[in-house]
């Protein structure tokens, strides 16, 4: 199988002057990306990095992260883009867990370095230089200065299909993030295979809007996809709705991928429907479900084809797609707007009874299982979690991946219903209650806690916490004051997007005889009027 690395190398040789990335910092050509990745690969070799070593990126800027990803692949190493929204404690865990040897970091995050105890790092480089008030540049070397000291020569490493190409972190139900190892086969099967066609991407003549961060499979995957296909993409480091609409119009965007919360923010802008979107051919969306109202309004505003996709980090992104012709807002076919579509080429999908593993008939809810070459290789150094995630895996590593999502099939279309795993999706971000519960239980005033998702018109879901205070606290202080103090404390422990929007002080947390929290009882009042138990 031709790898994405091979395809990116080929584009760098064949069209070095063509635009690859258009960013707020300037235009990257394919030749620029090829040259920088060669030099960075040589720089990594000079540090003694070998095949399998991890290289981390803590950056809002996707282009340098792509350069580091390709450079790492050119020596057999593995890039780990890290969520820059995490707290220093969370960053420290991931860098230590991944055993990163090199860290590329934006200047605005340098203060986090004091909290990073992992000193296995051999090198720290900045994405760009910036002078402080005294006129002195930072002591840490910049990416460009580091790379410029080495020759523009491709080391020539040729990866095996099953070698790890990229490692992304996805929180687990135990509360600790897991490193998802995506192989060269996984990425190529997705982004050199059916995914471009599924989202309407047509290649060299396209201009792709990429407003997703590089630590998301969509952000990094789409960036690598456009590179490997020889197309240009406009990279947005932070989602600012006014700027995104401006880019869509002035850069003549032909294709875009957005999460539903982003689409909703764009629709709320004055005169959003009056801009020139005549170049826009297809807007694809996914990462969380979308409401009918937002989707119908978006179709009227952007006046292009729409494609919905469903997938996970562990499946290298999209595994189903609701095609443009199925986006009909009126008539019998309009019910398909609630569907996640049909399996894309190369993907087998079935819905099974979670307890017995028996395949469910049409209309019956069960866990969604997925078999495809796109499936991850493993969870980094977690064979137990890997084994639990797969069923009937063969010698080539191909088996059924247990998604943890619940849904049902109807006439070949997948409909999402609920989650087997206790996960909240808020604005396209995966949030696991166990992680938040573990931190909250460290607070000296809390005796018991339960975290769950509630409907949110803007974000799809938002995080809600119910806490039981220790007896001496509950009797002596106003519960609202205590809840506010707990929330303030929590924001120093976790990324803000994981923190509850509200904390309720309750007398007790409902549990079954074995002690398991009965979250359905806590959730029920909030979801009672909802059509389905996933927003």
């Amino acid at each position: 199988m031709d790898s994405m690395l091979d395809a990116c190398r080929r584009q760098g040789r064949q069209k070095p002057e063509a635009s690859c990335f258009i960013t707020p910092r300037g235009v990257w050509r394919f030749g620029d990306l090829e040259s920088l990745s060669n030099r960075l690969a040589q720089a990594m070799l000079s540090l003694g990095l070998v095949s399998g070593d991890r290289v981390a990126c803590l950056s809002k800027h996707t282009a340098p992260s792509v350069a580091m990803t390709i450079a790492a692949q050119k020596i057999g190493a593995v890039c780990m883009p890290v969520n820059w929204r995490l707290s220093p404690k969370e960053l420290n865990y991931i860098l230590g867990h991944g055993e990163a040897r090199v860290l590329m970091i934006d200047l605005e995050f340098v203060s986090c370095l004091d909290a990073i105890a992992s000193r296995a790092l051999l090198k720290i480089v900045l994405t760009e230089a910036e002078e402080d008030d005294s006129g002195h540049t930072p002591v840490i070397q910049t990416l460009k200065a580091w790379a410029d000291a080495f020759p523009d020569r491709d080391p020539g490493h040729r990866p095996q299909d099953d070698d790890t190409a990229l490692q992304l972190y996805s929180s687990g139900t135990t509360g600790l993030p897991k490193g998802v190892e995506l192989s060269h086969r996984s990425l190529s099967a997705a982004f050199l295979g059916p995914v471009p066609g599924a989202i309407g991407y047509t290649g060299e003549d396209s201009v792709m809007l990429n407003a997703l961060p590089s630590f998301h499979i969509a952000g990094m995957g789409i960036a690598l996809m456009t590179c490997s296909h020889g197309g240009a993409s406009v990279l947005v480091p932070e989602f600012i709705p006014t700027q995104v609409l401006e880019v869509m119009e002035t850069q003549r965007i032909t294709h875009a991928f957005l999460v539903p919360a982003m689409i909703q923010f764009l629709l709320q802008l004055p005169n959003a429907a009056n801009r020139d979107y005549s170049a826009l051919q297809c807007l694809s969306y996914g990462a969380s479900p979308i409401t009918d109202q937002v989707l119908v309004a978006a179709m009227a505003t952007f006046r292009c084809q729409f494609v919905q996709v469903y997938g996970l980090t562990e499946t290298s992104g999209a595994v189903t797609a609701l095609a443009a012709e199925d986006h009909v807002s009126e008539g019998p076919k309009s019910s398909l707007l609630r569907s996640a579509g049909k399996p894309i080429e190369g993907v087998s999908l079935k819905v099974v009874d979670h307890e017995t593993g028996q395949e469910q008939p049409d209309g019956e809810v069960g866990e969604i299982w997925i078999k495809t070459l796109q499936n991850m290789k493993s969870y980094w150094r977690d064979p137990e979690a890997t084994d639990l995630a797969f069923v009937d895996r063969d010698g080539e590593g191909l088996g059924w991946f247990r998604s943890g999502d619940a849904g049902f099939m109807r006439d070949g279309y997948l409909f999402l219903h609920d989650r087997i795993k206790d996960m909240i999706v808020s604005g396209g971000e995966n949030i696991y209650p166990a992680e938040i519960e573990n931190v909250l239980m460290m607070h000296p005033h809390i005796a018991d806690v339960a975290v769950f998702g509630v409907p949110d018109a803007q974000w799809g879901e938002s995080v809600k916490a119910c806490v039981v205070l220790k007896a001496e606290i509950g009797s002596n202080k106003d519960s609202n004051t205590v809840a506010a103090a707990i929330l303030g404390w929590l924001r120093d422990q976790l990324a803000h997007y994981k923190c509850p929007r509200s904390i309720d002080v309750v007398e007790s947390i409902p549990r079954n005889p074995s002690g398991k929290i009965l979250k359905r009882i806590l959730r029920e009042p909030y979801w009672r009027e909802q059509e389905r138990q996933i927003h």
Side-chain angles (χ1 to χ4, degrees), residues 40-60:
L40 288 172
Q42 295 292 344
M44 292 178 195
L45 288 174
S46 76
L47 295 177
L49 266 68
V50 297
S51 181
D53 281 340
R54 264 51 179 175
V55 176
C57 296
L58 184 61
S59 175
K60 293 181 179 180

Side-chain angles (χ1 to χ4, degrees), residues 152 154 410:
D152 179 3
D154 189 332
R410 180 180 294 154

